[in-house]
Amino acid sequence: MTEPVVDLTDPVAMRAYAHPLRISLVGLLRREGPMTATQAANRLGENVPNCSFHLRQLAKYGLVERAEGADARERPWRATALMTRWGRESDDAETRAAVDQLDAVIIRRFYERAMTWLAGRADDPPEWRAVTGPGDDLAYLTAEELAELSQRIDALFEAYRPRRTDPSLRPPGARTVHVSYYVTTIDQQP
């Protein structure tokens, strides 16, 4: 199954997305489905005009769109895709700078999410504490091998992705689990 993906290639679009509230709004709509700016503001602890402005900005770049409302007064938004990718392979200096900016925002969010989890880990049952936490590994790979490894990791998640949008597929006891990883090189090759 191929999921809908938004591919950001324009540096202006990447910079527009690289805003913490905008990333939160897109994530919220992906997790919980269509909602109004008022509903999103309540869930995120933000004010309605701020959420409304940022949703309109996200719509300019194809990340969200208007959804069907229950009546003419309700104006919900929905995410246009379940995933977003951006042009890391570009050689254009402006695009590389925008990619770096967006990657920095994402890595900061991963860190903040991990620290929030860590602060509450003691309250988790032992079976959850046993299977959560940091980890890392080291391998000597070519760029082609690393691409293959990334595809294999992505394929492992394929069986669980339908649960994102269909709660009836979630087994009893299932929790929202965020697996984040980023790949870096330790040594720079010429």
Side-chain angles (χ1 to χ4, degrees):
M1 174 175 106
T2 303
E3 290 189 322
V5 175
V6 173
D7 280 305
L8 299 178
T9 56
D10 176 24
V12 174
M14 287 181 231
R15 284 192 176 92
Y17 186 46
H19 184 284
L21 179 55
R22 291 177 187 172
I23 292 171
S24 293
L25 285 164
V26 171
L28 180 66
L29 295 174
R30 287 176 177 168
R31 281 188 316 277
E32 297 188 25
M35 65 181 63
T36 65
T38 301
Q39 292 166 324
N42 289 337
R43 288 208 180 54
L44 297 174
E46 289 287 335
N47 66 60
V48 176
N50 201 22
C51 284
S52 192
F53 169 78
H54 287 294
L55 285 164
R56 288 191 308 274
Q57 294 303 306
L58 288 164
K60 286 182 183 180
Y61 300 103
L63 291 155
V64 302
E65 63 189 6
R66 287 290 187 184
E68 185 91 16
D71 58 40
R73 291 172 18 126
E74 186 178 83
R75 304 213 14 138
W77 294 90
R78 70 173 163 227
T80 57
L82 294 176
M83 296 172 61
T84 305
R85 293 186 297 226
W86 48 93
R88 291 188 179 103
E89 68 284 344
S90 177
D91 284 331
D92 175 68
E94 184 181 359
T95 301
R96 283 197 322 260
V99 166
D100 288 349
Q101 180 183 353
L102 181 50
D103 282 351
V105 171
I106 297 294
I107 290 169
R108 191 173 309 111
R109 289 178 60 84
F110 288 170
Y111 170 77
E112 290 166 357
R113 182 178 284 160
M115 296 309 289
T116 298
W117 163 81
L118 186 59
R121 175 172 57 177
D123 297 330
D124 271 348
E127 65 270 17
W128 281 97
R129 288 194 312 267
V131 295
T132 56
D136 72 327
D137 211 332
L138 181 69
Y140 290 85
L141 305 170
T142 64
E144 294 80 17
E145 290 170 327
L146 181 55
E148 178 189 340
L149 178 59
S150 293
Q151 290 170 354
R152 290 170 60 194
I153 291 169
D154 189 54
L156 290 172
F157 282 89
E158 192 63 39
Y160 306 103
R161 287 195 177 113
R163 295 179 184 182
R164 283 197 253 183
T165 55
D166 186 351
S168 71
L169 298 174
R170 299 172 192 162
R175 294 172 69 180
T176 304
V177 174
H178 178 246
V179 177
S180 61
Y181 69 95
Y182 47 94
V183 179
T184 61
T185 57
I186 296 173
D187 53 344
Q188 299 293 327
Q189 295 295 320

